[in-house]
């Protein structure tokens, strides 16, 4: 297929592009190389054998040209991160919501009907958890007063008791709790509307915590692994927020890329969401400790600091992706952490 990859110069995008080329696809990359994501260093060079269009995904005319002779789109371009405060809302809406709408409108004009969308586990908020009295519930929002006192676990919304985390499936209701999460929910709904209107197919890939070579570092959008690595390479102990017990599903970027490519190739009818996670929950403290061991660095420091927009626990049930598309992760946690520690 001839595939357009938006955001193809980004962290996940570069791995997706390499994977597509390895599988014999023709690849066109669209990226605006925004400085707050890519930095102000030398201009990025596209891989040999690809076409590179430096275009903003909100540029309708540029999209019309970029979509010529395209069979399918993998949409990765987005402003990422949580959003620091309310003043970030307009940029998330302008970048992610408008970018999605412009892309879908251009796809409708061009007759391209296959879309693979980079969504995120953040659409679930705290997901679901188990209360000993009320069973499966959506956790109540964490209050700043509770966080400040060191009470990090979200309570049952009915009785206030502590909850037991559980894996979230794709049918878990949306509960976006920050600007980025809200924009990802909006993207999924825009894509659903487009698919119904034009008879298109959408695979919404709800990525969990992605790590691996090429991660952004020392930017507002760096993930927690990149922040830990930067500290360790300065000879400092990683600073772990809360008590380090936040449960996540850390999944290697090559596994993310493989799942995305598989969905692009295989999902050609209707709408489907797929969680993309390793299936093995780990804590943020686990990651900090693994990176410290790999680099023979200082022991992580648990700070008790917090961010109100963060969720406490969110881990995936990725069985739909395994069952329907035959995907399985290939990179184990310890091996992935060791590789990450060696990356430039």
């Amino acid at each position: 297929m001839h595939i357009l990859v938006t955001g193809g110069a980004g962290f996940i995008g570069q791995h997706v592009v390499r994977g597509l080329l390895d599988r014999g696809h023709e690849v066109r990359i669209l990226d605006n190389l925004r400085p707050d994501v890519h930095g102000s260093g030398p201009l990025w060079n596209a891989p040999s054998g690809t076409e590179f269009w430096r275009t903003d995904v909100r540029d309708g005319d540029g999209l019309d040209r970029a979509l010529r002779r395209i069979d399918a789109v993998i949409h990765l371009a987005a402003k990422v991160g949580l959003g620091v405060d309310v003043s970030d809302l307009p940029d998330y809406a302008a970048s992610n919501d408008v970018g999605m709408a412009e892309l879908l409108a251009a796809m409708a004009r061009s007759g391209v009907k296959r879309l693979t969308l980079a969504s995120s586990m953040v659409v679930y908020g705290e997901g679901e958890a188990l209360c000993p009295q009320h069973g499966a519930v959506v956790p109540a929002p964490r209050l700043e007063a509770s966080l400040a006192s060191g009470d990090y676990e979200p309570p049952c919304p009915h009785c206030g008791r502590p909850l037991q985390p559980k894996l979230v499936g794709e049918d878990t209701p949306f509960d976006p709790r920050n600007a980025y999460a809200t924009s990802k929910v909006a993207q999924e709904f825009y894509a659903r509307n487009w698919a119904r209107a034009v008879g298109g197919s959408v695979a919404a890939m709800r990525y969990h915590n992605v790590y691996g070579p090429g991660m952004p570092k020392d930017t507002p959008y760096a993930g927690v692994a990149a922040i830990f690595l930067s500290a360790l390479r300065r000879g400092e102990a990683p600073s772990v927020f809360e008590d380090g017990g936040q449960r996540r599903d850390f999944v290697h970027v090559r596994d993310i890329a493989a799942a995305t490519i598989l969905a692009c190739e295989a999902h050609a009818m209707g709408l489907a969401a797929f969680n993309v996670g390793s299936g093995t929950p780990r804590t943020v403290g686990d990651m900090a400790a693994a990176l410290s061991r790999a680099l023979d660095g200082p022991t992580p420091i648990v700070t008790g600091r917090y961010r109100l927009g963060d969720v406490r626990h969110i881990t995936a049930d990725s069985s739909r992706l395994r069952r329907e598309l035959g995907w399985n992760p290939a990179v184990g946690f310890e091996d992935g952490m060791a590789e990450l520690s060696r990356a430039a």
Side-chain angles (χ1 to χ4, degrees):
M1 288 191 291
H2 197 171
I3 299 170
L4 176 67
V5 181
T6 74
F11 167 42
I12 295 173
Q14 293 187 52
H15 288 271
V16 168
V17 167
R18 282 196 291 271
L20 289 169
L21 292 172
D22 288 345
R23 294 178 66 83
H25 295 290
E26 297 179 71
V27 180
R28 182 176 295 161
I29 300 166
L30 185 148
D31 202 300
N32 67 354
L33 301 181
R34 56 187 290 172
D36 59 345
V37 175
H38 296 276
S40 56
L43 191 64
W44 179 74
N45 292 315
S48 176
T50 65
E51 298 178 64
F52 175 48
W53 297 48
R54 187 172 183 179
T55 303
D56 195 295
V57 75
R58 294 166 292 185
D59 177 357
D61 291 339
L63 285 169
D64 286 340
R65 293 190 293 272
L67 284 163
R68 292 171 185 163
R69 301 182 304 281
I70 290 294
D71 302 306
V73 174
I74 297 176
H75 183 41
L76 304 174
K79 177 180 171 69
V80 299
L82 295 177
V84 177
D85 54 39
V86 174
S87 65
D88 291 320
L89 290 171
D91 195 13
Y92 279 95
S95 300
N96 297 355
D97 298 31
V98 175
M100 181 86 263
E102 290 285 1
L103 174 63
L104 294 172
M107 289 175 69
R109 291 191 297 269
S110 302
V112 180
K113 294 188 177 182
R114 295 176 66 134
L115 173 67
T116 305
L117 170 65
S119 188
S120 172
M121 55 87 182
V122 297
V123 300
Y124 301 122
E126 293 279 358
E128 289 185 331
L130 296 174
C131 172
Q133 180 177 348
H134 296 99
V137 298
V138 175
R142 300 192 296 170
L143 302 177
E144 186 154 14
S146 299
L147 295 171
S149 69
D151 182 8
Y152 303 118
E153 296 297 332
C156 173
H158 306 297
C159 65
R161 293 185 182 183
L163 299 171
Q164 177 66 36
K166 68 187 291 286
L167 297 181
V168 297
E170 290 88 351
D171 295 332
T172 302
F174 289 149
D175 187 17
R177 299 193 175 189
N178 55 61
Y180 175 63
T182 301
S183 71
K184 283 296 169 183
V185 169
Q187 286 189 328
E188 287 204 28
F189 278 122
Y190 281 126
R192 292 180 188 187
N193 295 340
W194 165 84
R196 293 189 186 102
V198 304
S201 68
V202 178
M205 312 302 287
R206 294 176 183 165
Y207 301 151
H208 281 245
N209 292 78
V210 188
Y211 73 94
M215 284 191 314
K217 54 187 177 180
D218 302 324
T219 79
Y221 311 109
V224 65
I227 294 170
F228 291 161
L229 276 175
S230 293
L232 286 163
R233 287 170 176 156
R234 294 192 301 268
E236 301 170 4
S239 295
V240 180
F241 278 25
E242 300 184 16
D243 60 358
Q246 308 94 305
R247 283 164 51 107
R248 297 290 187 269
D249 189 329
F250 298 106
V251 57
H252 196 279
V253 67
R254 287 197 299 274
D255 288 330
I256 287 284
T260 302
I261 293 165
L262 183 60
C264 178
E265 293 173 337
H267 182 75
M269 294 182 62
L271 302 104
F274 297 99
N275 287 334
V276 192
S278 72
T280 305
R282 305 276 181 169
T283 68
V284 172
D286 289 339
M287 171 175 269
L291 290 172
S292 292
R293 287 194 301 271
L295 287 168
D296 196 22
T299 301
I301 297 172
V302 176
T303 66
R305 293 173 59 196
Y306 61 87
R307 295 185 300 184
L308 190 59
D310 286 352
V311 298
R312 176 64 175 174
H313 306 297
I314 185 69
T315 49
D317 176 356
S318 299
S319 59
R320 176 184 291 177
L321 180 60
R322 299 169 191 243
R323 182 178 65 253
E324 296 186 10
L325 298 184
W327 172 87
N328 281 288
V331 183
F333 180 76
E334 292 294 338
D335 289 342
M337 291 295 110
E339 179 194 23
L340 183 61
S341 72
R342 298 189 299 267

